[in-house]
Amino acid sequence: MRSILPCVGCANCCRSKSSFCRHAASEDAMTPAISIGLGGIAGWRVLQRTEARQIEITAKDAMIQRATGYFRENLTASTTAEDLVGDYRMLQVALGAHGLDGDLANKAFIRKVLESDLGDRSSLVNRLGDKRYLKLAQQFQTRDKAATREDMTQAYIQQQFQKRVGQSDESYRLALNARNELQTFATRASSDRTMWFEVLGNKPLRRVFEGAFGFSPSMGGLSVDRQVEEFTKASERVLGSSSFAKLGTAETVDKLITRFLALSQAQTNTGSNRYSAALSLLTR
Protein backbone atom coordinates (compact mmCIF):
# COMPACT_ATOMS: atom_id res chain seq x y z
CA MET A 1 0.00 0.00 0.00
CA ARG A 2 1.13 3.55 -0.71
CA SER A 3 1.68 5.96 2.11
CA ILE A 4 -0.93 8.66 2.51
CA LEU A 5 -0.51 11.80 4.52
CA PRO A 6 -3.44 12.44 6.87
CA CYS A 7 -2.65 16.15 6.62
CA VAL A 8 -0.08 18.55 5.21
CA GLY A 9 1.73 18.61 8.51
CA CYS A 10 2.38 14.91 8.72
CA ALA A 11 4.62 12.80 6.52
CA ASN A 12 5.06 9.64 8.56
CA CYS A 13 4.74 7.43 5.53
CA CYS A 14 5.93 9.59 2.69
CA ARG A 15 7.68 6.96 0.68
CA SER A 16 5.78 5.10 -2.01
CA LYS A 17 6.70 1.57 -2.98
CA SER A 18 7.63 1.10 -6.59
CA SER A 19 6.02 -1.70 -8.56
CA PHE A 20 8.00 -3.83 -10.96
CA CYS A 21 6.78 -3.60 -14.51
CA ARG A 22 7.99 -6.08 -17.09
CA HIS A 23 7.29 -3.66 -19.94
CA ALA A 24 9.35 -0.95 -18.31
CA ALA A 25 12.16 -3.37 -17.55
CA SER A 26 12.40 -4.53 -21.16
CA GLU A 27 12.44 -0.94 -22.41
CA ASP A 28 15.21 -0.02 -19.99
CA ALA A 29 17.27 -2.84 -21.44
CA MET A 30 16.86 -1.26 -24.89
CA THR A 31 17.67 2.24 -23.71
CA PRO A 32 21.24 3.30 -24.61
CA ALA A 33 23.19 4.52 -21.61
CA ILE A 34 24.93 7.89 -21.64
CA SER A 35 28.44 7.44 -20.32
CA ILE A 36 30.48 10.46 -19.26
CA GLY A 37 33.75 8.58 -18.91
CA LEU A 38 34.55 10.24 -15.60
CA GLY A 39 33.15 9.93 -12.11
CA GLY A 40 32.40 12.23 -9.23
CA ILE A 41 32.56 16.01 -9.52
CA ALA A 42 34.78 15.99 -12.62
CA GLY A 43 32.23 13.93 -14.53
CA TRP A 44 29.40 16.17 -13.30
CA ARG A 45 31.12 19.22 -14.80
CA VAL A 46 31.46 17.43 -18.12
CA LEU A 47 27.81 16.40 -17.98
CA GLN A 48 26.75 20.00 -17.35
CA ARG A 49 28.68 21.19 -20.40
CA THR A 50 27.26 18.52 -22.70
CA GLU A 51 23.74 18.29 -21.26
CA ALA A 52 21.92 20.39 -23.88
CA ARG A 53 23.46 18.38 -26.72
CA GLN A 54 22.73 15.07 -25.00
CA ILE A 55 19.07 16.02 -24.47
CA GLU A 56 18.81 16.99 -28.13
CA ILE A 57 20.20 13.59 -29.14
CA THR A 58 17.82 11.85 -26.75
CA ALA A 59 14.83 13.71 -28.21
CA LYS A 60 15.79 12.51 -31.70
CA ASP A 61 15.93 8.86 -30.67
CA ALA A 62 13.44 6.92 -32.79
CA MET A 63 11.88 5.11 -29.82
CA ILE A 64 11.31 8.36 -27.95
CA GLN A 65 9.96 10.13 -31.03
CA ARG A 66 7.42 7.34 -31.50
CA ALA A 67 6.37 7.56 -27.86
CA THR A 68 6.01 11.34 -27.76
CA GLY A 69 4.42 11.49 -31.21
CA TYR A 70 1.77 8.97 -30.19
CA PHE A 71 1.09 10.89 -26.97
CA ARG A 72 0.68 14.20 -28.79
CA GLU A 73 -1.70 12.66 -31.29
CA ASN A 74 -3.91 10.87 -28.79
CA LEU A 75 -4.19 13.11 -25.72
CA THR A 76 -7.24 15.29 -26.37
CA ALA A 77 -9.78 17.26 -24.38
CA SER A 78 -12.03 14.21 -24.40
CA THR A 79 -9.40 11.83 -22.98
CA THR A 80 -10.61 10.46 -19.64
CA ALA A 81 -8.58 8.96 -16.82
CA GLU A 82 -9.94 5.58 -17.85
CA ASP A 83 -8.75 6.19 -21.43
CA LEU A 84 -5.28 7.15 -20.27
CA VAL A 85 -4.67 4.21 -17.95
CA GLY A 86 -6.13 1.87 -20.57
CA ASP A 87 -3.58 2.95 -23.17
CA TYR A 88 -0.15 1.66 -22.20
CA ARG A 89 1.72 3.88 -24.65
CA MET A 90 0.07 7.06 -23.41
CA LEU A 91 0.39 6.06 -19.78
CA GLN A 92 4.08 5.33 -20.29
CA VAL A 93 4.71 8.93 -21.32
CA ALA A 94 2.43 10.50 -18.69
CA LEU A 95 4.05 8.59 -15.84
CA GLY A 96 7.52 8.77 -17.31
CA ALA A 97 7.27 12.55 -17.48
CA HIS A 98 6.99 12.61 -13.70
CA GLY A 99 9.49 9.87 -12.90
CA LEU A 100 6.68 7.52 -11.90
CA ASP A 101 7.46 4.71 -14.34
CA GLY A 102 7.28 2.19 -11.52
CA ASP A 103 3.51 2.67 -11.39
CA LEU A 104 2.80 1.50 -14.94
CA ALA A 105 1.16 -1.64 -13.61
CA ASN A 106 -0.84 0.17 -10.92
CA LYS A 107 -3.65 1.31 -13.19
CA ALA A 108 -6.41 1.41 -10.59
CA PHE A 109 -4.32 3.57 -8.30
CA ILE A 110 -3.26 5.97 -11.07
CA ARG A 111 -6.86 6.33 -12.23
CA LYS A 112 -7.86 7.37 -8.71
CA VAL A 113 -5.01 9.87 -8.68
CA LEU A 114 -6.08 11.36 -12.01
CA GLU A 115 -9.71 11.60 -10.94
CA SER A 116 -8.99 13.09 -7.50
CA ASP A 117 -10.62 16.37 -6.51
CA LEU A 118 -7.73 18.83 -6.50
CA GLY A 119 -9.71 21.29 -4.41
CA ASP A 120 -10.43 18.80 -1.63
CA ARG A 121 -7.54 18.56 0.84
CA SER A 122 -8.83 15.17 1.98
CA SER A 123 -8.79 13.66 -1.54
CA LEU A 124 -6.31 10.89 -2.34
CA VAL A 125 -3.89 12.95 -4.40
CA ASN A 126 -3.69 15.71 -1.80
CA ARG A 127 -2.92 13.20 0.96
CA LEU A 128 -0.06 11.50 -0.83
CA GLY A 129 3.35 12.47 0.50
CA ASP A 130 4.98 12.27 -2.94
CA LYS A 131 3.76 15.40 -4.73
CA ARG A 132 4.75 14.09 -8.13
CA TYR A 133 1.32 12.47 -8.18
CA LEU A 134 -0.30 15.84 -7.53
CA LYS A 135 1.64 17.39 -10.42
CA LEU A 136 0.48 14.55 -12.67
CA ALA A 137 -3.17 15.09 -11.72
CA GLN A 138 -2.89 18.86 -12.10
CA GLN A 139 -1.49 18.57 -15.60
CA PHE A 140 -4.02 15.97 -16.67
CA GLN A 141 -6.99 17.94 -15.37
CA THR A 142 -6.05 21.24 -16.99
CA ARG A 143 -8.33 22.27 -19.83
CA ASP A 144 -5.42 23.38 -21.97
CA LYS A 145 -4.52 19.98 -23.38
CA ALA A 146 -2.14 21.51 -25.93
CA ALA A 147 -0.04 22.81 -23.05
CA THR A 148 -0.31 19.45 -21.28
CA ARG A 149 0.89 17.60 -24.35
CA GLU A 150 3.88 19.88 -24.72
CA ASP A 151 4.78 19.98 -21.02
CA MET A 152 4.54 16.23 -20.59
CA THR A 153 6.45 15.33 -23.73
CA GLN A 154 9.29 17.71 -22.86
CA ALA A 155 9.38 16.38 -19.29
CA TYR A 156 9.35 12.82 -20.66
CA ILE A 157 12.38 13.57 -22.84
CA GLN A 158 14.18 15.09 -19.85
CA GLN A 159 13.37 12.03 -17.73
CA GLN A 160 14.57 9.68 -20.47
CA PHE A 161 17.82 11.62 -20.65
CA GLN A 162 18.21 11.29 -16.90
CA LYS A 163 17.43 7.59 -17.07
CA ARG A 164 20.13 7.03 -19.68
CA VAL A 165 22.63 8.96 -17.57
CA GLY A 166 21.60 6.88 -14.56
CA GLN A 167 22.36 3.65 -16.35
CA SER A 168 26.01 4.67 -16.25
CA ASP A 169 26.00 6.49 -12.91
CA GLU A 170 22.90 6.65 -10.72
CA SER A 171 24.34 9.51 -8.66
CA TYR A 172 24.26 11.76 -11.74
CA ARG A 173 20.63 10.90 -12.37
CA LEU A 174 19.79 11.82 -8.80
CA ALA A 175 21.78 15.05 -9.11
CA LEU A 176 19.99 16.09 -12.31
CA ASN A 177 16.61 15.37 -10.75
CA ALA A 178 17.46 17.30 -7.57
CA ARG A 179 18.63 20.33 -9.55
CA ASN A 180 15.42 20.45 -11.57
CA GLU A 181 13.16 19.85 -8.57
CA LEU A 182 14.80 22.53 -6.45
CA GLN A 183 14.52 25.10 -9.21
CA THR A 184 10.74 24.67 -9.10
CA PHE A 185 10.66 24.67 -5.29
CA ALA A 186 12.29 28.11 -5.25
CA THR A 187 9.36 29.68 -7.12
CA ARG A 188 6.56 28.23 -5.00
CA ALA A 189 4.52 29.99 -2.34
CA SER A 190 4.30 26.98 0.01
CA SER A 191 5.92 27.27 3.42
CA ASP A 192 9.44 25.92 3.85
CA ARG A 193 8.14 23.40 6.39
CA THR A 194 5.61 22.07 3.89
CA MET A 195 8.32 21.70 1.25
CA TRP A 196 10.62 19.88 3.68
CA PHE A 197 7.79 17.39 4.16
CA GLU A 198 7.72 17.02 0.38
CA VAL A 199 11.46 16.36 0.32
CA LEU A 200 10.91 13.53 2.79
CA GLY A 201 8.20 12.09 0.56
CA ASN A 202 10.14 12.38 -2.70
CA LYS A 203 12.55 9.45 -2.55
CA PRO A 204 15.00 10.55 -5.30
CA LEU A 205 15.24 14.08 -3.92
CA ARG A 206 15.52 12.85 -0.35
CA ARG A 207 18.48 10.64 -1.31
CA VAL A 208 20.47 13.67 -2.48
CA PHE A 209 19.84 15.59 0.73
CA GLU A 210 20.60 12.51 2.84
CA GLY A 211 23.83 11.93 0.94
CA ALA A 212 24.93 15.56 1.15
CA PHE A 213 24.15 15.73 4.86
CA GLY A 214 25.77 12.37 5.63
CA PHE A 215 22.51 10.92 6.92
CA SER A 216 21.90 7.19 7.13
CA PRO A 217 18.68 5.72 5.70
CA SER A 218 17.90 4.81 9.32
CA MET A 219 16.93 8.48 9.71
CA GLY A 220 13.58 7.35 8.34
CA GLY A 221 12.91 5.54 11.60
CA LEU A 222 12.57 8.83 13.45
CA SER A 223 9.29 10.70 13.78
CA VAL A 224 8.57 12.93 10.82
CA ASP A 225 8.75 16.09 12.90
CA ARG A 226 12.17 15.02 14.16
CA GLN A 227 13.29 14.28 10.61
CA VAL A 228 12.25 17.73 9.44
CA GLU A 229 14.11 19.23 12.38
CA GLU A 230 17.28 17.30 11.55
CA PHE A 231 17.11 18.10 7.83
CA THR A 232 16.58 21.81 8.43
CA LYS A 233 19.40 21.98 10.98
CA ALA A 234 21.75 20.17 8.59
CA SER A 235 20.71 22.45 5.75
CA GLU A 236 21.52 25.53 7.82
CA ARG A 237 24.88 24.05 8.76
CA VAL A 238 25.94 22.67 5.38
CA LEU A 239 24.20 24.99 2.90
CA GLY A 240 23.80 28.12 4.97
CA SER A 241 20.01 28.16 4.81
CA SER A 242 16.94 25.94 5.16
CA SER A 243 14.78 28.25 3.02
CA PHE A 244 13.93 26.90 -0.41
CA ALA A 245 14.09 30.40 -1.86
CA LYS A 246 17.83 30.14 -1.16
CA LEU A 247 18.17 26.40 -1.75
CA GLY A 248 16.82 26.82 -5.26
CA THR A 249 19.49 29.28 -6.35
CA ALA A 250 22.13 28.03 -8.77
CA GLU A 251 24.93 28.59 -6.26
CA THR A 252 23.28 26.63 -3.44
CA VAL A 253 22.08 23.83 -5.71
CA ASP A 254 25.63 23.44 -6.99
CA LYS A 255 26.93 23.32 -3.43
CA LEU A 256 24.40 20.63 -2.50
CA ILE A 257 25.13 18.49 -5.55
CA THR A 258 28.90 18.90 -5.29
CA ARG A 259 28.82 17.69 -1.70
CA PHE A 260 26.45 14.83 -2.56
CA LEU A 261 28.67 13.62 -5.41
CA ALA A 262 31.89 13.98 -3.44
CA LEU A 263 30.57 11.95 -0.52
CA SER A 264 28.96 9.40 -2.85
CA GLN A 265 32.27 8.92 -4.63
CA ALA A 266 34.05 8.57 -1.30
CA GLN A 267 31.68 5.81 -0.24
CA THR A 268 32.36 3.82 -3.39
CA ASN A 269 36.11 4.02 -2.97
CA THR A 270 38.20 2.21 -0.40
CA GLY A 271 40.88 3.57 1.88
CA SER A 272 40.98 6.67 4.04
CA ASN A 273 43.23 8.56 1.62
CA ARG A 274 40.63 8.47 -1.11
CA TYR A 275 37.96 9.50 1.36
CA SER A 276 40.03 12.46 2.49
CA ALA A 277 40.74 13.46 -1.10
CA ALA A 278 37.04 13.54 -1.90
CA LEU A 279 36.24 15.57 1.19
CA SER A 280 38.96 18.06 0.32
CA LEU A 281 37.07 18.93 -2.85
CA LEU A 282 34.30 20.37 -0.71
CA THR A 283 36.50 23.08 0.74
CA ARG A 284 37.89 24.39 -2.54
Side-chain angles (χ1 to χ4, degrees):
M1 295 292 290
R2 270 173 190 73
S3 304
I4 298 177
L5 294 181
C7 67
V8 72
C10 176
N12 271 316
C13 300
C14 291
R15 302 172 195 78
S16 61
K17 297 179 180 178
S18 297
S19 302
F20 177 71
C21 176
R22 284 175 292 181
H23 293 292
S26 62
E27 285 164 5
D28 282 348
M30 298 168 57
T31 301
I34 295 176
S35 179
I36 306 303
L38 294 170
I41 298 170
W44 173 248
R45 300 305 183 207
V46 172
L47 179 59
Q48 287 178 301
R49 290 196 296 270
T50 61
E51 180 178 0
R53 176 58 179 160
Q54 294 284 7
I55 292 175
E56 182 181 344
I57 293 172
T58 301
K60 292 179 180 178
D61 181 274
M63 182 178 69
I64 290 177
Q65 287 192 330
R66 286 194 298 270
T68 55
Y70 182 84
F71 186 81
R72 286 190 176 102
E73 290 173 7
N74 289 277
L75 183 71
T76 67
S78 62
T79 302
T80 65
E82 181 180 11
D83 295 333
L84 183 60
V85 300
D87 189 320
Y88 173 79
R89 294 175 67 186
M90 288 182 67
L91 186 62
Q92 177 191 27
V93 173
L95 293 181
H98 295 83
L100 297 171
D101 313 64
D103 277 305
L104 276 166
N106 300 328
K107 295 182 179 181
F109 169 74
I110 293 300
R111 180 175 175 179
K112 290 179 181 178
V113 166
L114 296 173
E115 293 176 342
S116 286
D117 183 351
L118 300 179
D120 181 0
R121 292 184 62 180
S122 65
S123 67
L124 171 65
V125 75
N126 283 320
R127 290 184 288 128
L128 289 169
D130 190 336
K131 296 307 175 184
R132 290 178 295 175
Y133 294 106
L134 177 60
K135 293 175 186 176
L136 170 65
Q138 288 171 332
Q139 284 194 316
F140 177 73
Q141 292 188 25
T142 184
R143 294 184 179 181
D144 188 353
K145 286 298 188 286
T148 298
R149 287 193 294 268
E150 185 60 25
D151 289 345
M152 283 196 179
T153 52
Q154 291 304 313
Y156 177 75
I157 291 168
Q158 175 68 33
Q159 288 287 340
Q160 288 299 305
F161 161 68
Q162 292 181 22
K163 182 182 292 186
R164 294 179 179 198
V165 169
Q167 287 181 321
S168 294
D169 191 324
E170 179 66 8
S171 65
Y172 290 155
R173 180 181 183 180
L174 292 170
L176 287 166
N177 176 74
R179 181 201 63 189
N180 295 340
E181 290 273 11
L182 289 174
Q183 287 172 346
T184 64
F185 272 43
T187 63
R188 290 174 48 190
S190 301
S191 70
D192 287 321
R193 185 172 177 81
T194 294
M195 288 191 279
W196 276 115
F197 281 129
E198 292 185 26
V199 169
L200 298 183
N202 186 321
K203 187 175 180 180
L205 185 56
R206 179 188 176 114
R207 283 181 62 186
V208 173
F209 277 100
E210 282 183 335
F213 296 162
F215 287 163
S216 162
S218 62
M219 174 71 72
L222 300 175
S223 71
V224 177
D225 286 336
R226 177 65 185 281
Q227 289 182 54
V228 170
E229 180 183 351
E230 294 299 326
F231 272 77
T232 54
K233 286 195 301 185
S235 187
E236 293 281 356
R237 183 179 67 253
V238 174
L239 303 175
S241 176
S242 60
S243 169
F244 283 91
K246 175 69 179 298
L247 297 180
T249 64
E251 180 182 359
T252 309
V253 168
D254 186 68
K255 187 175 183 179
L256 172 73
I257 290 175
T258 298
R259 185 177 177 87
F260 164 69
L261 292 173
L263 295 179
S264 295
Q265 185 179 30
Q267 290 177 355
T268 60
N269 293 330
T270 58
S272 59
N273 289 337
R274 290 182 179 180
Y275 183 80
S276 298
L279 288 180
S280 69
L281 293 171
L282 302 176
T283 59
R284 293 183 181 179

